[in-house]
Amino acid sequence: MNDLKLALLGFGNAGQAFAKMLCEKQAEIRQVYGRGVIVTAIATHSKGTIVDAAGIDLVKACKDVTETGKFAADTRGLCGLTTFAVIEQADYDAICELTPLEIFTGQPAIDHIKAAFGRGKHVISANKGPIAWAYDELSAAAAAKDLLFFYETTVMDGTPIFNLVEHTLKFCKITEVSGILNSTTNYILEELAAGKEYDTVIEAGKKLGFIEANPAMDIEGYDAAAKVTALLNVLMKAGITPDDVDRTGIENITLEDIQAAAAKGKVIKLLCKGRLTDGKVEASVKPVEVDQSDMLASVDSTTSIVSITTDLMGKLSVIEHAPEIEQTAYGIFGDVIRIMELAPTSES
Amino acid sequence: MNDLKLALLGFGNAGQAFAKMLCEKQAEIRQVYGRGVIVTAIATHSKGTIVDAAGIDLVKACKDVTETGKFAADTRGLCGLTTFAVIEQADYDAICELTPLEIFTGQPAIDHIKAAFGRGKHVISANKGPIAWAYDELSAAAAAKDLLFFYETTVMDGTPIFNLVEHTLKFCKITEVSGILNSTTNYILEELAAGKEYDTVIEAGKKLGFIEANPAMDIEGYDAAAKVTALLNVLMKAGITPDDVDRTGIENITLEDIQAAAAKGKVIKLLCKGRLTDGKVEASVKPVEVDQSDMLASVDSTTSIVSITTDLMGKLSVIEHAPEIEQTAYGIFGDVIRIMELAPTSES
């Protein structure tokens, strides 16, 4: 059987970690499925673009990027194609949308995905923008052509959330979701509680890689709003965008607020919530005081939690403890495995 | 297509709740799968036994048992068959093993399951005894005949644990499991902490239905040991029995112990643990002092937690919040749905 061919759009930390996981597990994949997974294209803005129908040497690609920040000049298939040209012209079965998040529009990732569906290709998105901004349209486009569309990585990395509901909670109706979906705010609130200044915390967080170049995404709750929107669109067919989320960030939380909460035995967390009330979905992202004995209070540092309330199975929570980049990679890897299992194979 | 035919062995609270869920969801099941699920036999020790190939009236069966403690004399198919005779003679596709747990042997449930496999029937077990005492033998018997063998309910009711790993953590190796798997001990420790006497707590717990007739099962850690054994046998191919678990219950925990822990900012929980060390599985059930800020400390009352450490996906936890009997029923229901999806259909 033919190998499954992937085109990676973007090759940042998550893409490189995914490439390494794929190399490590290649033999096991071939043993289980009788065919492998190869990457036939990688399109990036700053590292160069490779198109190689015979399969890119991922070990070399990772090594070159680690050492020099871009693909080496001697790389077979190195070319000047744009990302859209790669989507339109390369030989692949599925794209992995790994480009940087554009949180206010979801673009150009949405158009990448539409173009891939237009060519009859499957799509994996680790980019939450498209799920937050255009889920209904994209999932309809996939369904119309019997194509697969997976996005487990968009909320809490590879932690099973969408897969959990689809595969293990059959016939359950989801009535509420809540959680701490942006763990960067845990970190910031903890550092503030320790008496550090806002600017110092942000600078240190940037250096540690916890905080994005534009810290407003985390601090003002945009990232959390995009994630709760993705959850609600997929799990509750909400049909909303991040603009519909009642959003308050932690930018106005002061050391005094944190100390006042502590004096009451409480701790401040940026909580996401979505609920179905009278057939209407209400979504919010807000700093909330929770009891120190509450499970949410124990979700600290880079840990995150999602709680799902259902009609048949009551309330469940899933916690991802202190993830590393490998857990993001696993989200993509798991979606690739689902495509291996579900996509019809084109015989060679 | 033929309906899926179930034989229920046992019809206690969980069996009745499952029967009600099946009635409620019957129309939706028929819509999704184009066929329904009927119960063609119910075998019990104290309520009577019904064998009815046309499908038992579950609404009537539940009503009669609620009102009189047993099936009514006018029930079609009421008979004097033993459980083994039902397994050997009735017309069904799968048994649901719901008989009371015999925690020191797993019998007669193990023999029920063997007899069903012997007839080429699928098996759902909500009874943890067989998974703790004879998992390897039973799963081999199922595999030898291409039969389905599901047991999600045996640990934390319908909370996806076995399904979570099988369906959403593909290619992950489990290296450690831990958790609070017996929530009755949460309740007892909390009541003791409130200054109540052991005997008073046990009697009150029995009346509330939290504590079994033989409280040693919970208090001495036998139930927790059976559950951690089930987890390890399935998730880590441990091939152990509850006798291999290093087990200490909470029977010797005193109010003084609890107060001494509290003085250190800690709380006592009965913790289950299983780990792969140098290719060998080590399992324990022990009262442990955990920090009040630890997530485990927030798992109180009837709530329980399991944490799973993997090679590719790091550490995840799943929490079941304050379950009712419906969550046990959903575990059985979910396994029935998997059989609907996976079992070859015999055309009528």
Side-chain angles (χ1 to χ4, degrees), chain A residues 69-228:
Chain A
K70 53 186 182 175
F71 302 129
D74 66 347
T75 302
R76 193 177 65 195
L78 193 69
C79 65
L81 290 182
T82 65
T83 297
F84 277 105
V86 168
I87 298 170
E88 292 299 347
Q89 298 167 27
D91 176 21
Y92 63 88
D93 301 305
I95 59 163
C96 297
E97 164 49 61
L98 313 173
T99 66
L101 173 63
E102 214 333 312
I103 208 157
F104 297 111
T105 64
Q107 289 290 15
I110 293 170
D111 287 340
H112 293 164
I113 293 173
K114 283 187 195 171
F117 285 148
R119 276 191 73 194
K121 307 298 187 183
H122 307 296
V123 171
I124 291 166
S125 183
N127 185 325
K128 70 182 84 73
I131 316 302
W133 289 101
Y135 173 72
D136 284 358
E137 183 185 2
L138 295 175
S139 60
K145 291 194 170 188
D146 262 337
L147 296 168
L148 299 168
F149 181 31
F150 297 138
Y151 34 76
E152 186 63 80
T153 322
T154 57
V155 179
M156 283 169 62
D157 309 311
T159 306
I161 308 291
F162 301 117
N163 278 325
L164 178 91
V165 172
E166 182 178 343
H167 292 285
T168 75
L169 293 175
K170 294 190 184 206
F171 284 79
C172 288
K173 307 274 180 295
I174 312 293
T175 54
E176 185 170 333
V177 297
S178 64
I180 299 172
L181 301 177
N182 177 283
S183 59
T184 304
T185 54
N186 285 339
Y187 167 79
I188 295 170
L189 290 167
E190 287 155 25
E191 293 290 282
L192 291 178
K196 297 191 187 162
E197 293 292 327
Y198 234 111
D199 293 348
T200 316
V201 174
I202 301 299
E203 283 316 307
K206 279 187 190 173
K207 274 184 199 151
L208 288 166
F210 285 161
I211 299 179
E212 300 294 323
N214 178 358
M217 298 301 98
D218 295 314
I219 295 169
E220 296 179 21
Y222 289 107
D223 176 76
K227 285 173 176 163
V228 75

Side-chain angles (χ1 to χ4, degrees), chain B residues 113-343:
Chain B
I113 293 174
K114 283 187 195 170
F117 285 147
R119 276 191 73 193
K121 307 298 187 183
H122 306 297
V123 171
I124 291 165
S125 182
N127 186 324
K128 70 183 83 73
I131 316 303
W133 289 100
Y135 174 72
D136 284 359
E137 183 185 2
L138 295 175
S139 59
K145 291 194 169 187
D146 262 336
L147 296 168
L148 299 168
F149 181 30
F150 298 138
Y151 33 77
E152 185 63 81
T153 322
T154 56
V155 179
M156 283 168 62
D157 309 311
T159 306
I161 308 291
F162 300 117
N163 278 326
L164 179 91
V165 172
E166 182 179 343
H167 292 285
T168 76
L169 293 174
K170 293 189 185 208
F171 284 79
C172 288
K173 307 274 180 296
I174 312 292
T175 54
E176 185 170 334
V177 298
S178 64
I180 299 172
L181 301 177
N182 177 284
S183 59
T184 304
T185 54
N186 285 339
Y187 167 79
I188 295 170
L189 290 167
E190 287 155 26
E191 293 291 281
L192 290 177
K196 296 190 188 164
E197 293 292 327
Y198 234 112
D199 293 348
T200 316
V201 174
I202 301 298
E203 283 315 307
K206 279 188 190 174
K207 274 185 199 151
L208 288 166
F210 285 161
I211 299 179
E212 300 294 323
N214 178 358
M217 297 301 98
D218 295 314
I219 295 170
E220 296 179 22
Y222 289 106
D223 175 77
K227 285 173 175 162
V228 76
T229 301
L231 285 177
L232 296 173
N233 282 344
V234 177
L235 301 182
M236 292 166 71
K237 312 263 168 274
I240 62 172
T241 75
D243 288 339
D244 299 313
V245 177
D246 180 7
R247 177 186 49 77
T248 307
I250 59 165
E251 67 271 25
N252 295 322
I253 302 291
T254 62
L255 178 58
E256 289 65 40
D257 295 330
I258 294 171
Q259 287 171 336
K264 291 183 286 182
K266 289 175 184 282
V267 58
I268 298 176
K269 294 285 180 183
L270 186 66
L271 197 68
C272 301
K273 233 175 180 162
R275 175 189 305 199
L276 197 62
T277 314
D278 299 330
K280 201 170 155 280
V281 172
E282 288 174 1
S284 65
V285 171
K286 280 184 183 170
V288 170
E289 292 184 354
V290 300
D291 279 342
Q292 272 161 0
S293 63
D294 190 306
M295 189 172 292
L296 290 169
S298 70
V299 177
D300 56 11
S301 186
T302 55
T303 293
S304 50
I305 181 171
V306 67
S307 299
I308 299 173
T309 305
T310 72
D311 56 348
L312 301 182
M313 232 336 274
K315 182 178 171 185
L316 297 176
S317 296
V318 183
I319 291 145
E320 180 183 39
H321 298 268
E324 305 284 344
I325 193 69
E326 285 72 26
Q327 278 67 72
T328 310
Y330 180 74
I332 306 163
F333 180 84
D335 282 348
V336 169
I337 292 301
R338 293 179 72 196
I339 290 186
M340 286 290 276
E341 298 196 339
L342 295 174

Side-chain angles (χ1 to χ4, degrees), chain A residues 301-315:
Chain A
S301 185
T302 55
T303 293
S304 50
I305 181 171
V306 67
S307 299
I308 299 173
T309 306
T310 72
D311 56 348
L312 300 182
M313 231 337 273
K315 182 178 171 184

Side-chain angles (χ1 to χ4, degrees), chain A residues 253-310:
Chain A
I253 302 291
T254 62
L255 178 58
E256 289 66 39
D257 295 330
I258 294 170
Q259 287 171 337
K264 291 183 286 181
K266 289 175 184 282
V267 58
I268 298 176
K269 295 285 179 183
L270 186 66
L271 197 69
C272 301
K273 231 173 182 167
R275 176 189 305 199
L276 197 62
T277 314
D278 299 331
K280 202 170 155 280
V281 172
E282 289 174 0
S284 65
V285 171
K286 281 185 182 167
V288 170
E289 291 184 353
V290 300
D291 279 341
Q292 272 162 0
S293 64
D294 191 306
M295 189 172 292
L296 290 169
S298 70
V299 177
D300 56 11
S301 185
T302 55
T303 293
S304 50
I305 181 171
V306 67
S307 299
I308 299 173
T309 306
T310 72

Side-chain angles (χ1 to χ4, degrees), chain A residues 40-57:
Chain A
T40 54
I42 305 178
T44 81
H45 273 295
S46 62
K47 300 176 184 75
T49 288
I50 314 173
V51 175
D52 183 346
I56 294 167
D57 180 345

